[in-house]
Amino acid sequence: MSDLGHVLVLAGGLSYEREVSLRSGRRVSEVLRGAGISVETRDTDASLVPSVLADPPDAVFVTLHGGAGEDGAIRSVLELLSVPYVGAGPDACRVAYDKPTAKTVVRSVGLRTPESVTLPKETFHDLGASAVLARIVERLGLPLFVKPSRGGSALGASIVRTAEDFPAAMVGCFAYGDTALIERCIEGVEVAVSVVDLGNGPVALPPVEIVANEGVYDYAARYTAGHTEFFAPARLSPEASAACAEMAVTAHTALGLRDISRTDLIVDADGLPYFLEVNVAPGMTETSLLPMAAEAAGEDLGTLCRVLLEQAAKRGA
């Protein structure tokens, strides 16, 4: 029997990923109710702070994606309200949410990550787009992967296979953020490794392999049933699977994360994983990767979420 009286699930927000967040929130609320927990689901609007002050929850499960849900802002507010929550603290979130910074941190502890260039929109325009892009192609080669330095759900992300495709990819990226991260595109198996800490240190769940029908794991492929094939566990050698698990746990630890995270990787033809990015508020929808990994590990999602909330409640704000 849980000691939790009632918990709050935060979902929605005003980021580009609002709809995904609402779906994650519904799923977490459903599995928690199935685990016998009294759950309230709320959006992040002007009524949130007065509501929490009037009736403080025992703990909060944050299912906000992008923006305030992952950059540490909402977690700072929860700490101001003295309300415990599942997941990393504000400082760790800020580092992990900024992809170039996260890459720098994991590289400093010896993890492999694709060579990259970070380019603010102002620099792109001020120095002459064509000259800058030509130099990037010369330096990093093709293909390239372009994505906003912040944000998720593959919004604004695209593969550049020819130099002619590069300008359009940059324009698409800048529609979702002011800074682009341009990486050498590693061809291989796309894998996501979720990490959970249920009280005995961070542990990697089975890696999930992602095979998008159209070849690109974009927004539609992520959240439309039938657009992507998943393999949980991934079809990797035991050695490659172990290397992916070790990389995800190392990234989780190096970035100072807590409770839960998901690391996205590419495994090349030699079985070597490359760190791409980490998510501090993994998706929890019906097509999301952490729930698949939990099922592959024989873990009940409701129980996992309940334990994480109980830990947060005991830890306090």
Side-chain angles (χ1 to χ4, degrees):
M1 189 70 180
S2 177
D3 293 330
L4 295 169
H6 85 284
V7 303
L8 180 63
V9 173
L10 288 182
L14 296 177
S15 80
Y16 293 113
E17 299 171 76
R18 174 179 173 80
E19 291 304 315
V20 178
S21 172
L22 290 170
R23 288 170 57 184
S24 285
R26 283 195 294 270
R27 179 83 186 282
V28 170
S29 297
E30 288 169 4
V31 298
L32 284 171
R33 290 189 184 104
I37 305 299
S38 174
V39 182
E40 178 187 9
T41 306
R42 293 195 66 92
D43 208 330
T44 53
D45 55 28
S47 68
L48 178 63
V49 171
S51 172
V52 169
L53 287 172
D55 184 17
D58 293 310
V60 174
F61 204 111
V62 180
T63 61
L64 298 165
H65 306 317
E70 297 182 60
D71 67 3
I74 197 69
R75 297 161 197 253
S76 293
V77 173
L78 292 173
E79 293 191 358
L80 286 172
L81 297 173
S82 299
V83 175
Y85 55 87
V86 171
D91 291 344
C93 286
R94 278 188 285 272
V95 172
Y97 186 58
D98 188 77
K99 296 179 179 68
T101 304
K103 282 168 64 77
T104 299
V105 171
V106 301
R107 189 183 290 113
S108 74
V109 295
L111 298 189
R112 195 180 299 105
T113 186
E115 188 178 357
S116 63
V117 173
T118 302
L119 194 62
K121 182 161 54 177
E122 292 80 6
T123 305
F124 177 70
H125 290 300
D126 293 349
L127 297 184
S130 60
V132 173
L133 297 187
R135 180 58 181 158
I136 292 172
V137 170
E138 183 180 336
R139 172 69 181 273
L140 298 182
L142 292 169
L144 297 167
F145 197 84
V146 178
K147 57 188 175 184
S149 67
R150 298 182 169 198
S153 294
L155 293 167
S158 59
I159 294 177
V160 174
R161 297 200 177 277
T162 70
E164 291 73 26
D165 296 334
F166 207 170
M170 296 297 290
V171 170
C173 177
F174 288 139
Y176 289 94
D178 292 333
T179 302
L181 173 62
I182 305 155
E183 293 180 309
R184 175 177 287 145
C185 184
I186 306 297
E187 305 278 10
V189 179
E190 193 163 357
V191 172
V193 182
S194 298
V195 173
V196 296
D197 185 345
L198 300 179
N200 296 308
V203 175
L205 298 179
V208 178
E209 179 182 349
I210 302 151
V211 183
N213 293 348
E214 302 299 324
V216 179
Y217 191 45
D218 58 13
Y219 186 90
R222 286 167 189 252
Y223 301 114
T224 307
H227 280 217
T228 302
E229 192 171 6
F230 301 97
F231 297 90
R235 300 169 299 177
L236 298 171
S237 69
E239 295 78 13
S241 291
C244 288
E246 182 180 1
M247 180 170 281
V249 171
T250 300
H252 180 98
T253 303
L255 290 163
L257 305 183
R258 186 174 67 185
D259 297 336
I260 189 170
S261 70
R262 191 197 74 232
T263 293
D264 297 337
L265 311 167
I266 287 286
V267 181
D268 72 8
D270 295 322
L272 298 176
Y274 286 76
F275 172 93
L276 299 179
E277 59 190 76
V278 68
N279 192 308
V280 300
M284 302 293 277
T285 74
E286 295 76 5
T287 57
S288 292
L289 303 165
L290 188 147
M292 291 183 200
E295 182 178 353
E299 297 278 357
D300 176 74
L301 186 61
T303 301
L304 187 150
C305 292
R306 174 180 57 77
V307 172
L308 290 172
L309 283 161
E310 288 171 343
Q311 283 185 171
K314 289 177 184 175
R315 181 169 63 225

